Every structure is written in C-alpha cells, then in structure tokens.
Amino acid sequence: VADSSRRNAVQNLIAEFGSEDLPLPSRRMILDALGTASRELSGCQELPVERSGASKPALGTVGKTRRFTSATQIPPSTTNRFASEARHFILPLVARWRQPAGSAAAWALGEASTVAEFLHSLGVMLESAGRACPDKDQLARDCSEPAMEGLSHTELLVRRCSLFVLSRMVLIGCEEVLLELPILMQLEAFPFVESDDTCRRMAAG
C-alpha cells in the first residue's frame, strides 16, 4: 500500500511539473522534492556533489576511452529502497520533460534555471539509485539524452549539471552505456572549447 501510494504521489507531482499554468519556482520545488525523496529512500541524507561544482566529478582518460571518476563514494546504507523505485521517478519525469502540457509549459521547461534543476535532479536520483538498481542501464540511457543536449547549452549552470549527470552514470556502474553514446569526441574536445574553469576541470580531471 505504501509503495502504491508513493508512486501515485510521484505520478501526480510529475504531471504537475509539466502542467500549463505552474510558476517556475513551483516546478523547481517539485524537482527538489523528487530528489529529496530519492535520498531518503536510499538511506543517504546528503549527496556529495553540489550544483555549484564545489565537489567536482573528474573525467579521466584510459587509452582511447574516457571515464568519469568521483572524489567520493556512495555511503554504505542499510537498505536502499530507492533502487527498485527509481524507474517510477526517472522514466516518467524524463517523458514529461519531453512532452509538457502545452506551449507555456514547454517554454517553462526550457528555461535555463529549470533545465539545470531538472538535470541536477536526474543526477541526484541516479546516485540515489546506486549500483544495485536493477534498471540502472535503462535509467542511464534515458538521462543521457538531456545531459548531452545540456553540454552545448549557453547557460553555464546547465553545462555543469549535464556533466554531473554523466558522472553519476559512471558512479553507479553504467560506463558501458556511456561508451555506447555518440559523445566521446564531444567530451574529448570539451576542455578545449569550454570557457568555464569549473566545467573544464569537471571534464578533464
């Protein structure tokens, strides 16, 4: 009953996130609520990487492939209840982001601060899901497309949050998914074309 009730609540929040007449702050509050719920269900109170990039994931090089590493590890927890619930959060959220209710919602979900919060929320939920998540590869694939789009965004915070999502994919063991994507050359060139020092450090290590 508890799982069903929670899933209904999440479904309603996600539907509201992409609704036509919701103010921007309320949309961002929904994203924050989803991320907070994922942390609580995973048993992790605080995740290490902030939107500011203060604790930065690094991108190292191994031969002709590249991989993200993290300065921190997922803390041990008793039972990660989010691992089996993550698909009920991430998949419908990405779908709703792709298909908002109307033109006003589409504009709101394309606004830079909302895009950054959306990406950050995906990264938080991926990390909360952890390596034990049975759906992690599918979730990583769903998150990869908005993350790749964000790498070329004009807004700095969006680019940082895109790198955060990609780093969380590797942290939970989805390196192979990352290697399947048409993104390696883009990441290879990223430190040389990016103007922001933090983004360059996040990408280059």
Side-chain angles (χ1 to χ4, degrees):
V1 176
D3 286 346
S4 176
S5 177
R6 179 172 54 247
R7 290 171 189 172
N8 286 337
V10 169
Q11 183 179 4
N12 290 335
L13 280 175
I14 291 173
E16 188 70 9
F17 169 69
S19 63
E20 189 73 348
D21 298 321
L22 195 68
L24 287 175
S26 297
R27 298 181 199 273
R28 293 194 288 269
M29 286 177 62
I30 288 173
L31 293 169
D32 185 65
L34 293 172
T36 298
S38 77
R39 287 195 294 267
E40 292 176 352
L41 287 169
S42 72
C44 180
Q45 295 300 312
E46 191 70 26
L47 293 177
V49 178
E50 301 294 334
R51 283 182 289 273
S52 65
S55 298
K56 299 175 287 295
L59 185 62
T61 303
V62 180
K64 293 186 178 180
T65 63
R66 301 168 69 85
R67 61 179 177 84
F68 286 99
T69 58
S70 175
T72 58
Q73 295 180 348
I74 299 175
S77 61
T78 51
T79 301
N80 185 344
R81 292 182 294 149
F82 188 67
S84 61
E85 288 293 305
R87 64 190 178 93
H88 299 292
F89 284 64
I90 294 175
L91 298 180
L93 179 59
V94 173
R96 187 57 163 162
W97 185 68
R98 288 291 185 202
Q99 294 185 326
S103 58
W107 175 88
L109 300 194
E111 193 273 333
S113 64
T114 307
V115 175
E117 190 69 39
F118 167 72
L119 290 167
H120 182 260
S121 179
L122 292 182
V124 168
M125 288 189 283
L126 282 174
E127 182 162 355
S128 296
R131 290 177 173 265
C133 177
D135 307 298
K136 63 183 182 181
D137 286 350
Q138 181 184 4
L139 300 180
R141 289 188 181 95
D142 246 44
C143 293
S144 64
E145 188 174 348
M148 287 190 295
E149 291 176 4
L151 286 178
S152 57
H153 201 281
T154 57
E155 181 63 39
L156 168 61
L157 187 57
V158 174
R159 300 197 300 276
R160 289 183 181 180
C161 290
S162 294
L163 290 167
F164 175 51
V165 173
L166 294 172
S167 74
R168 301 305 90 180
M169 288 172 56
V170 174
L171 185 66
I172 66 171
C174 295
E175 297 94 335
E176 294 300 321
V177 174
L178 188 63
L179 292 173
E180 293 172 3
L181 303 174
I183 193 176
L184 294 182
M185 291 187 66
Q186 184 179 0
L187 288 173
E188 186 78 31
F190 197 79
F192 303 102
V193 300
E194 172 58 52
S195 60
D196 176 64
D197 287 341
T198 298
C199 280
R200 287 200 299 268
R201 288 193 298 269
M202 290 175 74

Coordinates of all heavy atoms in Angstrom, one line a residue, residues 82-139:
F82 N 15.2 2.9 -2.7 CA 15.0 3.7 -3.9 C 15.5 2.9 -5.1 O 15.1 3.1 -6.3 CB 15.8 5.0 -3.9 CG 15.4 5.9 -5.1 CD1 14.2 6.4 -5.2 CD2 16.4 6.2 -6.0 CE1 13.9 7.2 -6.3 CE2 16.1 7.0 -7.1 CZ 14.9 7.5 -7.3
A83 N 16.4 1.9 -5.0 CA 16.9 1.1 -6.1 C 15.8 0.5 -6.9 O 15.9 0.5 -8.2 CB 17.9 0.1 -5.6
S84 N 14.8 0.0 -6.3 CA 13.7 -0.7 -7.0 C 12.6 0.3 -7.4 O 11.7 0.0 -8.2 CB 13.1 -1.8 -6.2 OG 12.6 -1.3 -4.9
E85 N 12.7 1.6 -6.9 CA 11.6 2.6 -7.1 C 12.1 3.6 -8.2 O 11.3 4.4 -8.7 CB 11.3 3.3 -5.8 CG 10.5 2.5 -4.9 CD 9.1 2.2 -5.4 OE1 8.4 3.1 -5.7 OE2 8.8 1.0 -5.4
A86 N 13.4 3.6 -8.5 CA 13.9 4.7 -9.3 C 13.2 4.8 -10.7 O 13.0 5.9 -11.2 CB 15.4 4.5 -9.5
R87 N 12.9 3.7 -11.3 CA 12.2 3.8 -12.6 C 10.9 4.5 -12.5 O 10.4 5.1 -13.5 CB 12.1 2.4 -13.2 CG 11.1 1.5 -12.4 CD 11.2 0.0 -12.9 NE 10.4 -0.9 -12.2 CZ 9.2 -1.2 -12.5 NH1 8.6 -0.7 -13.6 NH2 8.5 -2.1 -11.8
H88 N 10.2 4.5 -11.4 CA 8.9 5.2 -11.2 C 9.1 6.7 -11.1 O 8.1 7.4 -11.2 CB 8.2 4.6 -10.1 CG 7.9 3.1 -10.2 ND1 7.0 2.6 -11.1 CD2 8.3 2.1 -9.5 CE1 6.9 1.3 -11.0 NE2 7.7 0.9 -10.0
F89 N 10.3 7.1 -10.8 CA 10.7 8.5 -10.7 C 11.3 9.0 -12.0 O 10.8 10.0 -12.6 CB 11.7 8.8 -9.6 CG 11.1 8.7 -8.2 CD1 10.6 7.5 -7.7 CD2 11.2 9.8 -7.4 CE1 10.1 7.5 -6.4 CE2 10.7 9.8 -6.1 CZ 10.2 8.6 -5.6
I90 N 12.3 8.4 -12.5 CA 13.2 9.0 -13.6 C 12.5 8.8 -14.9 O 12.4 9.8 -15.7 CB 14.5 8.3 -13.6 CG1 15.3 8.7 -12.3 CG2 15.3 8.7 -14.8 CD1 16.7 8.0 -12.1
L91 N 12.0 7.7 -15.3 CA 11.4 7.5 -16.6 C 10.2 8.4 -16.9 O 10.2 9.1 -17.9 CB 11.1 6.0 -16.8 CG 12.2 5.0 -16.7 CD1 11.7 3.6 -16.9 CD2 13.3 5.3 -17.7
P92 N 9.2 8.5 -16.0 CA 8.1 9.4 -16.3 C 8.5 10.9 -16.2 O 8.0 11.7 -16.9 CB 7.1 9.0 -15.2 CG 7.8 8.3 -14.1 CD 9.0 7.6 -14.8
L93 N 9.6 11.2 -15.4 CA 10.0 12.6 -15.3 C 10.6 13.0 -16.6 O 10.3 14.1 -17.2 CB 11.0 12.8 -14.2 CG 11.5 14.2 -14.0 CD1 10.4 15.2 -13.8 CD2 12.6 14.2 -12.9
V94 N 11.5 12.2 -17.2 CA 12.1 12.5 -18.5 C 11.0 12.6 -19.6 O 11.0 13.4 -20.4 CB 13.2 11.5 -18.9 CG1 13.7 11.7 -20.3 CG2 14.3 11.5 -17.9
A95 N 10.1 11.6 -19.5 CA 9.0 11.6 -20.5 C 8.2 12.9 -20.4 O 7.8 13.5 -21.4 CB 8.1 10.4 -20.3
R96 N 7.9 13.4 -19.2 CA 7.1 14.6 -19.0 C 7.9 15.8 -19.5 O 7.3 16.8 -20.0 CB 6.7 14.7 -17.6 CG 5.7 15.9 -17.3 CD 4.5 15.7 -18.1 NE 3.4 16.6 -17.5 CZ 2.3 16.9 -18.2 NH1 2.2 16.5 -19.5 NH2 1.4 17.7 -17.7
W97 N 9.2 15.8 -19.2 CA 10.0 16.9 -19.7 C 10.0 17.0 -21.2 O 10.0 18.1 -21.8 CB 11.4 16.7 -19.2 CG 12.4 17.8 -19.5 CD1 12.3 19.1 -18.9 CD2 13.5 17.8 -20.4 NE1 13.4 19.9 -19.4 CE2 14.1 19.1 -20.3 CE3 14.1 16.8 -21.2 CZ2 15.2 19.4 -21.1 CZ3 15.2 17.1 -21.9 CH2 15.7 18.4 -21.9
R98 N 9.9 15.9 -21.9 CA 9.9 15.8 -23.3 C 8.5 16.2 -23.8 O 8.4 16.8 -24.9 CB 10.2 14.4 -23.8 CG 11.7 14.0 -23.7 CD 12.5 14.8 -24.6 NE 13.9 14.4 -24.6 CZ 14.9 15.1 -25.0 NH1 14.7 16.4 -25.4 NH2 16.1 14.7 -25.0
Q99 N 7.5 16.0 -23.1 CA 6.1 16.2 -23.5 C 5.3 17.0 -22.5 O 4.4 16.4 -21.8 CB 5.4 14.9 -23.9 CG 6.0 14.2 -25.1 CD 5.2 12.9 -25.4 OE1 4.6 12.3 -24.6 NE2 5.2 12.6 -26.7
P100 N 5.6 18.3 -22.4 CA 4.8 19.1 -21.4 C 3.4 19.3 -22.0 O 3.1 19.0 -23.1 CB 5.6 20.4 -21.4 CG 6.3 20.5 -22.7 CD 6.6 19.0 -23.0
A101 N 2.5 19.9 -21.1 CA 1.1 20.0 -21.4 C 0.8 21.0 -22.6 O -0.1 20.7 -23.4 CB 0.3 20.5 -20.2
G102 N 1.6 22.0 -22.8 CA 1.3 23.0 -23.8 C 2.4 24.0 -24.0 O 3.5 23.8 -23.5
S103 N 2.2 25.0 -24.8 CA 3.3 25.9 -25.2 C 3.8 26.7 -24.0 O 5.1 26.9 -23.9 CB 2.7 26.9 -26.2 OG 1.6 27.7 -25.7
A104 N 3.0 27.1 -23.0 CA 3.5 27.8 -21.8 C 4.4 26.8 -21.0 O 5.4 27.2 -20.5 CB 2.4 28.3 -21.0
A105 N 4.0 25.6 -20.8 CA 4.8 24.6 -20.1 C 6.1 24.3 -20.8 O 7.1 24.2 -20.2 CB 4.0 23.3 -19.9
A106 N 6.0 24.2 -22.2 CA 7.2 24.0 -23.0 C 8.2 25.1 -22.8 O 9.4 24.8 -22.6 CB 6.8 23.8 -24.4
W107 N 7.7 26.3 -22.8 CA 8.6 27.4 -22.5 C 9.2 27.3 -21.1 O 10.5 27.5 -20.9 CB 7.9 28.8 -22.6 CG 8.8 29.9 -22.2 CD1 9.6 30.6 -23.0 CD2 8.9 30.5 -20.9 NE1 10.3 31.6 -22.3 CE2 9.9 31.5 -21.0 CE3 8.3 30.2 -19.7 CZ2 10.3 32.3 -19.9 CZ3 8.7 31.0 -18.6 CH2 9.7 32.0 -18.7
A108 N 8.4 27.0 -20.1 CA 8.9 27.0 -18.7 C 9.9 25.9 -18.5 O 11.0 26.0 -17.9 CB 7.7 26.7 -17.8
L109 N 9.7 24.7 -19.2 CA 10.6 23.6 -19.0 C 11.9 23.8 -19.8 O 12.9 23.1 -19.6 CB 10.0 22.3 -19.4 CG 8.7 21.9 -18.6 CD1 8.4 20.4 -18.9 CD2 8.9 22.1 -17.1
G110 N 11.9 24.8 -20.7 CA 13.1 25.1 -21.5 C 13.9 26.2 -20.9 O 15.0 26.6 -21.4
E111 N 13.3 26.9 -19.8 CA 14.0 28.0 -19.2 C 15.2 27.5 -18.5 O 15.2 26.4 -17.9 CB 13.0 28.6 -18.2 CG 13.5 30.0 -17.6 CD 14.3 29.8 -16.4 OE1 14.2 28.8 -15.7 OE2 15.2 30.7 -16.2
A112 N 16.4 28.2 -18.6 CA 17.7 27.7 -18.2 C 17.7 27.2 -16.7 O 18.3 26.1 -16.4 CB 18.7 28.7 -18.4
S113 N 17.2 27.9 -15.8 CA 17.2 27.5 -14.4 C 16.4 26.2 -14.2 O 16.8 25.4 -13.3 CB 16.7 28.6 -13.5 OG 15.3 28.9 -13.7
T114 N 15.3 26.1 -14.9 CA 14.5 24.8 -14.8 C 15.3 23.7 -15.4 O 15.3 22.6 -14.8 CB 13.2 25.0 -15.5 OG1 12.5 26.2 -14.9 CG2 12.3 23.8 -15.2
V115 N 15.9 23.9 -16.5 CA 16.7 22.8 -17.2 C 17.8 22.4 -16.2 O 18.1 21.2 -16.0 CB 17.3 23.3 -18.5 CG1 18.2 22.2 -19.1 CG2 16.2 23.6 -19.5
A116 N 18.5 23.3 -15.6 CA 19.6 23.0 -14.7 C 19.1 22.2 -13.5 O 19.7 21.2 -13.1 CB 20.3 24.3 -14.2
E117 N 18.0 22.6 -12.9 CA 17.4 21.9 -11.8 C 16.9 20.5 -12.2 O 17.1 19.5 -11.4 CB 16.2 22.7 -11.2 CG 15.7 22.2 -9.9 CD 16.7 22.4 -8.8 OE1 17.4 23.4 -8.7 OE2 16.8 21.5 -7.9
F118 N 16.4 20.4 -13.4 CA 16.0 19.1 -13.9 C 17.1 18.1 -14.0 O 17.1 17.0 -13.6 CB 15.3 19.3 -15.3 CG 15.1 18.1 -16.1 CD1 14.1 17.1 -15.7 CD2 15.8 17.8 -17.2 CE1 13.9 16.0 -16.5 CE2 15.6 16.7 -18.0 CZ 14.6 15.7 -17.6
L119 N 18.2 18.6 -14.6 CA 19.4 17.8 -14.8 C 20.0 17.4 -13.4 O 20.4 16.3 -13.2 CB 20.5 18.5 -15.6 CG 20.1 18.6 -17.1 CD1 21.1 19.6 -17.8 CD2 20.2 17.3 -17.8
H120 N 20.1 18.4 -12.5 CA 20.6 18.1 -11.2 C 19.8 17.1 -10.5 O 20.3 16.1 -9.8 CB 20.7 19.4 -10.4 CG 21.3 19.2 -9.0 ND1 20.5 19.0 -7.9 CD2 22.5 19.0 -8.6 CE1 21.3 18.8 -6.8 NE2 22.5 18.8 -7.2
S121 N 18.4 17.2 -10.6 CA 17.6 16.2 -10.0 C 17.8 14.8 -10.6 O 17.8 13.8 -9.9 CB 16.1 16.6 -10.3 OG 15.2 15.7 -9.7
L122 N 18.0 14.7 -11.9 CA 18.3 13.4 -12.5 C 19.6 12.8 -11.9 O 19.7 11.6 -11.6 CB 18.4 13.5 -14.0 CG 17.2 13.9 -14.8 CD1 17.5 13.9 -16.3 CD2 16.1 12.8 -14.6
G123 N 20.6 13.7 -11.8 CA 21.9 13.2 -11.2 C 21.7 12.7 -9.8 O 22.3 11.7 -9.4
V124 N 21.0 13.4 -9.0 CA 20.7 13.0 -7.6 C 20.0 11.7 -7.6 O 20.4 10.8 -6.8 CB 19.9 14.1 -6.9 CG1 19.4 13.6 -5.5 CG2 20.8 15.4 -6.6
M125 N 19.0 11.5 -8.4 CA 18.2 10.3 -8.4 C 19.1 9.1 -8.9 O 18.9 8.0 -8.4 CB 16.9 10.5 -9.2 CG 15.9 11.3 -8.5 SD 14.3 11.4 -9.2 CE 14.6 12.5 -10.6
L126 N 19.9 9.3 -9.9 CA 20.8 8.3 -10.4 C 21.7 7.8 -9.3 O 21.9 6.6 -9.0 CB 21.6 8.7 -11.6 CG 20.9 8.8 -12.9 CD1 21.9 9.4 -14.0 CD2 20.5 7.4 -13.4
E127 N 22.3 8.8 -8.6 CA 23.2 8.4 -7.5 C 22.5 7.7 -6.3 O 22.9 6.7 -5.8 CB 23.9 9.6 -6.9 CG 24.9 9.3 -5.8 CD 26.0 10.3 -5.6 OE1 26.0 11.3 -6.3 OE2 26.7 10.1 -4.6
S128 N 21.3 8.2 -6.1 CA 20.4 7.5 -5.0 C 20.1 6.1 -5.4 O 20.0 5.2 -4.6 CB 19.2 8.3 -4.8 OG 19.5 9.6 -4.3
A129 N 19.8 5.9 -6.7 CA 19.5 4.5 -7.2 C 20.6 3.5 -6.9 O 20.4 2.4 -6.5 CB 19.1 4.5 -8.7
G130 N 21.9 4.0 -7.2 CA 23.0 3.2 -6.8 C 23.3 2.0 -7.8 O 22.5 1.7 -8.7
R131 N 24.4 1.3 -7.5 CA 24.8 0.2 -8.4 C 23.9 -1.0 -8.3 O 23.8 -1.8 -9.2 CB 26.2 -0.2 -8.0 CG 27.3 0.8 -8.4 CD 28.7 0.4 -7.9 NE 29.7 1.3 -8.4 CZ 30.4 1.1 -9.6 NH1 30.1 0.0 -10.3 NH2 31.3 1.9 -10.0
A132 N 23.1 -1.1 -7.2 CA 22.2 -2.2 -7.0 C 20.9 -2.1 -7.8 O 20.1 -3.0 -7.8 CB 21.9 -2.5 -5.6
C133 N 20.7 -0.9 -8.4 CA 19.4 -0.7 -9.1 C 19.3 -1.6 -10.3 O 20.2 -1.7 -11.2 CB 19.3 0.7 -9.6 SG 17.9 1.1 -10.5
P134 N 18.2 -2.4 -10.4 CA 18.1 -3.4 -11.5 C 17.8 -2.7 -12.8 O 18.0 -3.4 -13.9 CB 16.9 -4.2 -11.1 CG 16.1 -3.4 -10.2 CD 17.1 -2.5 -9.4
D135 N 17.4 -1.5 -12.8 CA 17.1 -0.8 -14.1 C 18.1 0.3 -14.4 O 17.8 1.2 -15.2 CB 15.7 -0.1 -13.9 CG 14.6 -1.1 -13.5 OD1 14.4 -2.0 -14.2 OD2 14.1 -0.9 -12.4
K136 N 19.3 0.3 -13.8 CA 20.2 1.4 -13.9 C 20.6 1.7 -15.4 O 20.8 2.8 -15.7 CB 21.4 1.2 -13.1 CG 22.3 0.0 -13.4 CD 23.4 -0.2 -12.5 CE 24.3 -1.4 -12.9 NZ 25.4 -1.6 -11.9
D137 N 20.8 0.7 -16.2 CA 21.2 0.9 -17.6 C 20.1 1.6 -18.3 O 20.4 2.6 -19.1 CB 21.5 -0.4 -18.3 CG 22.9 -1.0 -17.8 OD1 23.6 -0.3 -17.1 OD2 23.2 -2.1 -18.2
Q138 N 18.9 1.2 -18.2 CA 17.8 1.9 -18.8 C 17.6 3.3 -18.3 O 17.4 4.2 -19.1 CB 16.4 1.1 -18.6 CG 15.2 1.7 -19.3 CD 13.9 1.1 -18.9 OE1 13.9 0.1 -18.1 NE2 12.8 1.5 -19.5
L139 N 17.8 3.5 -17.0 CA 17.7 4.9 -16.5 C 18.8 5.8 -17.0 O 18.6 6.9 -17.4 CB 17.7 4.8 -15.0 CG 16.6 4.0 -14.3 CD1 16.8 4.0 -12.8 CD2 15.3 4.5 -14.7

